[in-house]
Amino acid sequence: MTQIGDLVLDLPSDREITLTRAFDAPRELVYAAHTQAEHLKRWWGRGNPLDVEIDFREGGRYRFVEHAKDGNDYAFRGEFREIVVPERIVQTFEFEGMPGHVAVETLVFTERDGGTVVTGTTRFDTTQERDGMIDSGMAQGAAESYAALERHLRTLA
């Protein structure tokens, strides 16, 4: 288990990464921030400008393009496989810079002490893909994005 700011990273198996983060906001609001374009644009890309296309329904798709400070664009896409409002989302996740490497991500939203704990478990096809994702700096990027989400949630309270 590794702590990166307020984010906890765990490796529950040789093909999985789990990221856990608590937020001081109601579950319905944290869930909405993960599913609605107007919220996603404010936090998902580490707070950088973000283009969001989202059809939030089972079988629907999403595509996010982050316009990073380094001048590059980073695109991500996936499909929603299972939605249980406001408890759970199962979706695929693919970085367009590495096409064909599709992971399955399960997000669970748990109410705790008046706030919300988000637990995201990503399952990869191979240990090498999991380790490659870790080596890419994804945990730091996720920590930065979730810090941006925390700031965004404070503006909505």
Side-chain angles (χ1 to χ4, degrees):
M1 202 174 308
T2 304
Q3 184 104 16
I4 303 160
D6 292 326
L7 182 76
V8 176
L9 179 142
D10 195 15
L11 304 176
S13 79
D14 65 349
R15 292 179 21 204
E16 293 177 308
I17 298 171
T18 297
L19 301 175
T20 305
R21 172 73 151 74
F23 296 93
D24 187 19
R27 178 169 68 169
E28 289 76 14
L29 185 57
V30 176
Y31 190 89
H34 280 78
T35 62
Q36 297 173 8
E38 63 268 23
H39 294 300
L40 288 160
K41 287 178 183 180
R42 301 209 187 316
W43 72 268
W44 195 88
R46 300 175 292 173
N48 290 325
L50 189 73
D51 299 330
V52 175
E53 299 169 24
I54 187 168
D55 179 12
F56 188 66
R57 62 180 175 81
E58 289 184 6
R61 298 183 178 275
Y62 70 89
R63 184 170 188 264
F64 305 152
V65 179
E66 175 189 358
H67 306 285
K69 292 177 180 144
D70 65 10
N72 292 311
D73 292 342
Y74 300 96
F76 306 86
R77 65 179 171 212
E79 179 180 320
F80 298 105
R81 292 188 170 175
E82 179 187 343
I83 296 171
V84 181
V85 179
E87 301 168 10
R88 177 179 160 98
I89 302 167
V90 179
Q91 63 194 22
T92 61
F93 178 86
E94 180 179 14
F95 171 51
E96 290 183 6
M98 294 182 65
H101 297 277
V102 181
V104 177
E105 182 177 59
T106 301
L107 294 169
V108 176
F109 301 80
T110 306
E111 293 179 308
R112 186 179 301 154
D113 301 327
T116 306
V117 175
V118 178
T119 304
T121 301
T122 305
R123 183 164 182 81
F124 299 87
D125 288 336
T126 67
T127 302
Q128 292 77 16
E129 286 184 4
R130 182 204 67 179
D131 293 348
M133 183 63 80
I134 292 168
D135 293 343
S136 77
M138 66 77 70
Q140 182 62 40
E144 292 171 10
S145 288
Y146 272 161
L149 174 56
E150 183 73 45
R151 290 189 300 275
H152 175 62
L153 291 168
R154 276 192 231 117
T155 70
L156 302 173

